[in-house]
Amino acid sequence: MTAASSPALSETTIDPGWDPGVCDILIERLWTLRRRMLALAAQHDERLGRVDPAHHAGARNLLHYLALRSDDLRPLQQDLSRLGLSSLGRSEPHVLASLDKVLGILHRLAGRAWQSHDGDEPSGSHSGHRALQQHASRLLGPTPPGRDVRIMVTLPGEAAADPGRIDAMVQAGMDIARINCAHDTPAQWQAMAEAVRLAARRAGREVRVLMDLGGPKLRTGPIESGPEVVRLRPRRDELGRVIAPARLALRPAGSARPVGAEADAVLGVDPDWLAPLKVGDLISLKDARRAQRQLEIVERHADGVIAALSRSAYLTADVVLRHEPHRDRRSALHDLPAAQGLLHLRRGDRLQLLPEGLGHEARPVGRGRRAQPASVSCTLPEALAAVRRGDRIWFDDGRIGGVVRKRLDGGGVLVEIGSAREGGEKLAADKGINLPDTALDLPALTAQDLQDLDTVVATADLVGLSFCQSADDVRRLRAELAARGASTLGLMLKIETQRGFAALPSILLAAMEGPTAGVMIARGDLAVECGYERLAEVQEEMLWACEAAHLPVVWATQVLETLARTGRPSRAEITDAAMGERAECVMLNKGPHIMDAIRMLDDILRRMQEHQSKKRPLLRALRAWRGALDGQGAPG
């Protein structure tokens, strides 16, 4: 969809001065560029004919923008800037109108007549911005007072049974609730959506619901559980002195009843052994490392006891408890929690990625058998058929990376791990798999998505299409919505692969064939797919293209993630959150400190909109430096 380059536009810069002849040279360059824009739009006249009338201006403007950016315009920009003219660097919403304004001024500087060409311009300097705002409001709902960028929050599954949490999110500033259909159940989705609408009514404002279809997401399969181990550790001060012992609750084996106050762990023991224990009794044991330890009973309750421990201990099912001084009175430990299955992978390790089966750690050489590398299955076995030797593969948002060394009998592949932290990484089940070098021809809508879509159309305000890679993906979703009587449901197209990024212009034009649509920049997967070093330019180019199409953007993945997870933000993520002001919506992921993240993002976005609008800096008075030269700087 790009036009052929023109050598005239890439000439070295000229010394502009005020010579009318210099203006004539620039005029010819711009006329060449203008003709290219109109030619590209005419070339795709049939596509424009399929676009919804509400998006016709945006579709034409997008084609003009693609023509504008098909050549290196930096020399031309320098020449225009030297004359004090617009360098077209902020023309995204109104490309042809911006170029025509510069042409008109150059004609007057050169003493040449200029005739208006408004009829060719799909959007003007005001109408382009206005169209983007209108499309954003139709899709994402209104913005709250004092903030121009909406906040989207991914709801945790527990929110289905905790409406109070959703109330708090709405009060903190959530404008859109995201429900991830890759997790939980339709009943939970509906409960969450109902709680959102009730909370919005109580708050007296509109909060929309996005339901994200799971899509053909490649993930690691199940992994066999690790050994059942409970680790007890007392709390210590900076000098290593115990300030609070570890607390172990003991109750009859098989019981689920709570025992007294909060404990670090709750385990089962033989009921007859437990019955005579009283406060002050001592219990001895040798832990899994054969270290001798002693516990003291500090509380007695109807359903068990609380024992205190002043040294660390590792407890397994093999550990035996002895009631001192009656050492013949013994009990085994019961009801130990199963450890999450994990694969420990280091650089140089081999990993089998298989179409099915229960994953396991590497197995050493045994009698009569060879050593086995670690293995894990893939949730989309059909994807493995396209993988070839030498293809790169990434796990868990790029934390672990490797290269496919060979194909295996049965459809699997052998991966050599080449990227992991010193000391190795742990890979769990249900973690993402990215294949940036593999041409995966997978439909964006899976059989499960089609089933989930019945619930989505009855529940949501907009539907998210994961793994969107082509215009056909968009058209198929629209057809499925039409078949369910939901043609007007808003679309959120998640761009998360190299293929999706490369096809973005076609995807945008297909999106504009319906009434409402927007784009989510899924930066986590894009960083892995395109390379972290390219992410900055990739997200910039997507922002520009969507602004040219007058379509809203959601800035997503890992925004204020450290704050949401730990309660303390990093300096880098504060700057990243401020960049979100250039989108129409910013998405936060769930976490135990999500309320703090919502409130901080709300504050950042309100502050930044006084300084930045898309690519354009706003020259608000800098109150911080009033009187600074007189030694009286003002805060703010």
Side-chain angles (χ1 to χ4, degrees), residues 224-238:
E224 64 184 15
S225 299
E228 298 172 335
V229 180
V230 171
R231 182 180 182 186
L232 296 175
R233 289 179 295 179
R235 285 171 47 209
R236 300 177 183 274
D237 63 15
E238 293 84 355

Side-chain angles (χ1 to χ4, degrees), residues 373-563:
S375 76
V376 70
S377 64
C378 170
T379 55
L380 284 174
E382 58 269 34
L384 294 182
V387 179
R388 297 290 177 263
R389 182 179 177 182
D391 285 0
R392 289 174 298 156
I393 185 166
W394 294 94
F395 299 92
D396 196 4
D397 287 335
R399 286 197 314 112
I400 303 169
V403 175
V404 174
R405 292 305 181 198
K406 70 176 182 178
R407 294 197 58 81
L408 302 172
D409 294 339
V413 295
L414 184 66
V415 179
E416 181 179 347
I417 303 301
S419 178
R421 283 187 302 181
E422 192 68 35
E425 292 278 6
K426 296 176 181 177
L427 179 63
D430 200 36
K431 295 300 181 182
I433 301 174
N434 291 90
L435 298 164
D437 301 329
T438 308
L440 294 177
D441 191 17
L442 298 172
L445 286 174
T446 66
Q448 184 63 54
D449 292 334
L450 296 177
Q451 184 177 324
D452 294 342
L453 206 51
D454 295 332
T455 303
V456 171
V457 298
T459 308
D461 299 301
L462 52 160
V463 56
L465 180 63
S466 299
F467 210 71
C468 181
Q469 300 195 105
S470 70
D472 287 342
D473 290 335
V474 181
R475 295 191 182 104
R476 187 180 178 208
L477 176 56
R478 285 211 188 276
E480 293 292 343
L481 292 175
R484 291 164 174 78
S487 299
T488 59
L489 193 67
L491 303 190
M492 182 59 64
L493 309 175
K494 290 176 65 178
I495 307 300
E496 47 193 318
T497 65
Q498 283 196 79
R499 187 175 170 189
F501 171 67
L504 183 63
S506 293
I507 289 172
L508 296 180
L509 288 173
M512 289 187 276
E513 292 175 10
T516 54
V519 168
M520 179 181 287
I521 305 179
R523 302 183 302 152
D525 282 303
L526 277 173
V528 178
E529 288 269 330
C530 300
Y532 282 86
E533 66 280 1
R534 283 203 63 207
L535 178 61
E537 63 176 322
V538 164
Q539 64 192 21
E540 283 291 306
E541 290 171 17
M542 291 179 69
L543 283 168
W544 300 337
C546 291
E547 187 180 5
H550 304 160
L551 291 180
V553 169
V554 177
W555 182 263
T557 313
Q558 295 179 325
V559 178
L560 295 181
E561 185 177 72
T562 307
L563 171 59

